[in-house]
Amino acid sequence: MSSTETLPTAADDSAGVEAGLDALETVQAQRTPLTTVLRRSVLPPVLGVVLVLAVWQLAYTLELTTPDKLPSPADVWDSLTELWYAGTLFSIIWTSVWRGLSGFLLSVVIGTPIGLLVAQVKPVRAALGPVLSGLQSLPSVAWVPAAVIWLGINNSAMYAVILLGAVPSIANGLIAGVDQVPPLFLRAGQTLGATGIRGARHILLPAALPGYLAGLKQGWAFSWRSLMAAELIASSPDLGLGLGRYLENQREFTNMSGVLLGILLILTVGVAIDLLFFSPLERRVLRSRGLLVTSR
């Protein structure tokens, strides 16, 4: 090393770190242009839908099967417009959406404390951990006959099936998130006096949020699937007409256009809830932790 060269000082290192942090904050503050969002997030699924419709229309045109088994996209559209003009489309959708969302929120209220208890208390975990895992793997449709016998064909049976399907997923997601929290966080919280409920609220839950959010997302999927299974099987005028019951009614009428419309509406609602709520929330959580890098 020549006499003219100097070693970096602590002040230089500090200035470099500050400059790097300022640059990082600047990158995070930049917003993605609308055209880029449309190109990356909107255009691909639109092209996918167009491709599916094109293949569907081609199969119908080539008469790969009879029209009563594979109607054209136009036939399904006609079934949709019939519901629209009859004024029942939104009522059918809302009946199921309201049940699904309210059942999911109730599952969150029940599943969250169960997940915390199982994650934090070893004897409870040894006793209930395998039970939660087994309930999560059990198909939701298996609970429908039992719920109907226990509670009758009513909304209580619908909610019971939703809870039995969603609560284990939410609890297991929170347990997985708590298991990934570094012990140093918990010790630091205890040093600052954050113990018990305060520690769970201010330290444990925020640190376990990514895993918990994954459990919530899966819990919604189980809620929606459980509800559709219950509506398909249980039939009563007191329940009203939801998407699952509409689908089963069209099957009884051998109306394949209506069947496909029911399937598409169920799929659309499930995807819409994920895109409008869970995906933005997931991106926000990951971005706040520096785990989501937005490329230019």
Side-chain angles (χ1 to χ4, degrees), residues 66-132:
T66 57
D68 60 318
K69 294 182 180 179
L70 182 64
S72 68
D75 295 331
V76 177
W77 177 259
D78 291 339
S79 297
L80 178 64
T81 56
E82 287 179 7
L83 290 180
W84 173 270
Y85 289 122
T88 58
L89 176 62
F90 289 112
S91 65
I92 293 173
I93 295 175
W94 179 245
T95 297
S96 294
V97 170
W98 171 250
R99 284 194 190 124
L101 291 178
S102 56
F104 169 71
L105 293 177
L106 186 58
S107 299
V108 172
V109 172
I110 297 174
T112 300
I114 291 177
L116 281 174
L117 182 64
V118 173
Q120 292 294 93
V121 183
K122 290 184 178 179
V124 176
R125 183 166 192 161
L128 295 184
V131 176
L132 289 175

Side-chain angles (χ1 to χ4, degrees), residues 220 224 264-277 279:
W220 160 250
W224 190 238
L264 292 175
L265 290 176
I266 293 170
L267 176 64
T268 300
V269 171
V271 172
I273 296 295
D274 180 74
L275 292 179
L276 295 176
F277 179 73
S279 292

Side-chain angles (χ1 to χ4, degrees), residues 28-221:
Q28 290 181 344
Q30 292 177 350
R31 291 186 175 273
T32 305
L34 179 60
T35 55
T36 303
V37 174
L38 293 175
R39 186 178 70 253
R40 294 177 179 176
S41 302
V42 178
L43 185 59
V46 170
L47 291 178
V49 171
V50 171
L51 179 61
V52 170
L53 290 176
V55 173
W56 181 0
Q57 181 62 46
L58 179 63
Y60 176 80
T61 303
L62 295 177
E63 297 182 353
L64 298 182
T65 186
T66 57
D68 60 318
K69 294 182 180 179
L70 182 64
S72 68
D75 295 331
V76 177
W77 177 259
D78 291 339
S79 297
L80 178 64
T81 56
E82 287 179 7
L83 290 180
W84 173 270
Y85 289 122
T88 58
L89 176 62
F90 289 112
S91 65
I92 293 173
I93 295 175
W94 179 245
T95 297
S96 294
V97 170
W98 171 250
R99 284 194 190 124
L101 291 178
S102 56
F104 169 71
L105 293 177
L106 186 58
S107 299
V108 172
V109 172
I110 297 174
T112 300
I114 291 177
L116 281 174
L117 182 64
V118 173
Q120 292 294 93
V121 183
K122 290 184 178 179
V124 176
R125 183 166 192 161
L128 295 184
V131 176
L132 289 175
S133 299
L135 289 176
Q136 185 175 356
S137 63
L138 183 67
S140 303
V141 69
W143 288 113
V144 178
V148 169
I149 294 174
W150 290 335
L151 303 170
I153 305 178
N154 50 40
N155 279 319
S156 297
M158 302 290 106
Y159 288 121
V161 174
I162 293 174
L163 292 176
L164 290 167
V167 167
S169 296
I170 295 172
N172 282 328
L174 181 54
I175 293 169
V178 170
D179 289 343
Q180 297 171 6
V181 175
L184 180 61
F185 287 10
L186 303 179
R187 290 197 295 269
Q190 292 172 357
T191 302
L192 296 174
T195 58
I197 297 178
R198 292 182 59 190
R201 176 183 176 186
H202 297 289
I203 303 297
L204 195 59
L205 281 177
L209 190 55
Y212 181 43
L213 182 58
L216 292 178
K217 190 174 181 179
Q218 189 176 49
W220 160 250

